[in-house]
């Protein structure tokens, strides 16, 4: 006889039976109507309800990051939708495009953690570790995740997130590290390289107690709102393929965009 128990998914997140759904120890109906979705996000991710300040800041970040007009993920959703993908498949395609260069709050968060760890290991102040890290990344020609935005240069979302974080008393060590790194760019680059929105999300999120992967999850969750809207708009107001020749604008998949004038491979040849 085996002493192994029957297979079951072991989880500390939730359980259910015919009569109850329990999330992190709370009956879901008790939560419903009594907490915000941002508070619920924190509960599901972190295991406990947030403080009022962390709940408010989580909500602010999710609003701030939910929509960003045409970006890699929203454009991907629209292309997938134009090919006939169902809503869930199109949104999944958009989420799959969230990577190292788009929606990257987890990457700056990891960088800020490494700066703080370096300060402790090398007996440096956080500011000294920040300056050294920026200089070394510049020397290696390594991109600083969470800094600069090609479309904005100075991301308009950053100041608002930091303002709210300061006013709520959330800003702590990691916001200070992020600011020190931005200050260091003045001398290292000869110009200021501004903290962008995901970078602000990364440092503020760490000061709220979130881990880098949880911040990536937060971005995916809030941006999925935008992706759903873009897919629904695409399917309701545009023709499939986005290639109609009688459209009032040249569409990305139109044949005129794919002819020999836009081809720079080998010349025509025979096998």
């Amino acid at each position: 006889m085996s002493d192994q128990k029957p297979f079951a998914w072991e989880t500390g997140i939730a359980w259910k039976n015919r009569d109850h759904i329990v999330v992190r120890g709370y009956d879901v109906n008790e939560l419903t109507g009594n907490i915000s979705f941002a508070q619920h996000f924190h509960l599901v991710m972190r295991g406990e309800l947030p403080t009022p300040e962390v709940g408010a800041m989580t909500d602010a970040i999710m609003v701030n990051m939910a929509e960003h007009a045409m970006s890699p993920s929203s454009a991907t959703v629209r292309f997938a939708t134009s090919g006939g993908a169902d809503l869930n498949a199109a949104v999944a395609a958009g989420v799959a495009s969230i990577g190292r260069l788009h929606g990257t709050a987890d990457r700056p968060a990891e960088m800020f953690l490494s700066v703080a760890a370096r300060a402790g290991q090398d007996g440096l102040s956080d500011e000294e570790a920040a300056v050294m890290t920026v200089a070394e990344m510049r020397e290696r020609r390594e991109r600083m995740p969470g800094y600069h935005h090609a479309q904005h240069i100075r991301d308009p979302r950053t100041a608002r997130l930091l303002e709210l974080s300061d006013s709520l008393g959330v800003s702590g060590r990691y916001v200070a590290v992020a600011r020190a790194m931005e200050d260091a760019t003045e001398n290292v680059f000869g110009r200021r390289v501004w903290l962008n929105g995901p970078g602000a999300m990364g440092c503020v999120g760490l000061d709220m107690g979130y881990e880098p992967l949880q911040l990536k999850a937060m971005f995916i969750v809030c941006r999925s709102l935008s992706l759903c809207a873009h897919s629904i708009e695409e399917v309701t107001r545009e023709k499939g393929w986005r290639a109609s020749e009688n459209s009032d604008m040249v569409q990305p998949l139109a044949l005129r965009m794919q002819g020999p004038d836009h081809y720079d491979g080998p010349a025509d040849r025979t096998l």
Side-chain angles (χ1 to χ4, degrees):
M1 296 291 291
S2 172
D3 59 359
Q4 292 181 309
K5 64 180 182 179
F7 173 82
W9 297 107
E10 300 290 345
T11 175
I13 299 172
W15 66 269
K16 63 186 175 186
N17 59 23
R18 290 184 183 276
D19 304 311
H20 299 284
I21 303 169
V22 177
V23 180
R24 299 289 194 185
Y26 294 98
D27 188 292
V28 73
N29 286 331
E30 183 181 3
L31 297 172
T32 303
N34 291 312
I35 66 171
S36 70
F37 184 75
Q39 290 173 306
H40 194 54
F41 176 88
H42 187 282
L43 173 65
V44 173
M45 281 289 162
R46 304 286 302 163
E48 297 293 341
L49 288 167
T51 64
E53 295 77 15
V54 169
M57 194 68 227
T58 299
D59 184 69
I61 289 173
M62 295 180 82
V63 169
N64 191 263
M65 291 289 153
E67 176 58 76
H68 192 220
M70 289 303 160
S71 62
S73 55
S74 53
T76 299
V77 160
R78 285 181 175 268
F79 272 117
T81 303
S82 75
D86 289 335
L87 176 63
N88 56 309
V91 171
V95 169
S97 73
I98 296 171
R100 294 185 305 104
L101 304 178
H102 170 47
T104 57
D106 56 312
R107 295 187 67 226
E110 289 169 352
M111 181 176 66
F112 301 141
L113 286 170
S114 70
V115 170
R118 179 180 191 172
Q121 292 165 4
D122 297 347
L124 304 169
S125 69
D126 286 349
E127 292 74 16
E128 291 170 330
V131 171
M132 292 176 65
T133 299
V134 171
E136 291 166 0
M137 294 182 78
R138 171 63 167 168
E139 185 177 353
R140 295 192 299 265
R141 302 181 66 84
E142 183 179 342
R143 182 187 294 269
M144 290 175 59
Y147 289 83
H148 182 67
H149 196 290
Q151 292 178 317
H152 300 300
I153 309 302
R154 187 172 185 179
D155 193 327
R157 298 169 294 186
T158 303
R160 179 57 175 162
L161 288 178
L162 294 182
E163 174 191 21
L164 286 170
S165 181
D166 292 343
S167 66
L168 289 168
V170 168
S171 296
R173 183 180 191 183
Y174 297 105
V175 168
V177 165
R179 284 172 162 152
M181 294 186 74
E182 184 181 282
D183 289 341
T185 64
E186 293 271 12
N187 290 328
V188 173
F189 288 84
R191 60 185 175 84
R192 196 168 190 88
V193 182
W194 302 94
L195 185 71
N196 63 28
M201 180 180 176
C203 62
V204 173
L206 289 177
D207 280 333
M208 289 194 288
Y210 288 106
E211 298 172 3
L213 272 181
Q214 292 170 339
L215 291 171
K216 190 177 189 72
M218 187 188 299
F219 185 89
I220 290 170
V221 168
C222 67
R223 185 55 64 91
S224 291
L225 166 63
S226 166
L227 302 185
C228 286
H230 281 281
S231 179
I232 291 169
E233 183 179 69
E234 182 73 20
V235 80
T236 54
R237 67 183 284 180
E238 299 291 340
K239 294 181 179 180
W241 271 70
R242 268 198 176 265
S244 174
E245 293 297 330
N246 61 5
S247 173
D248 58 0
M249 68 176 70
V250 178
Q251 298 288 349
L253 298 182
L255 289 177
R256 76 185 80 173
M257 301 297 291
Q258 303 178 56
D261 291 342
H262 304 285
Y263 172 76
D264 59 4
D268 291 357
R269 50 187 170 174
T270 57
L271 182 62

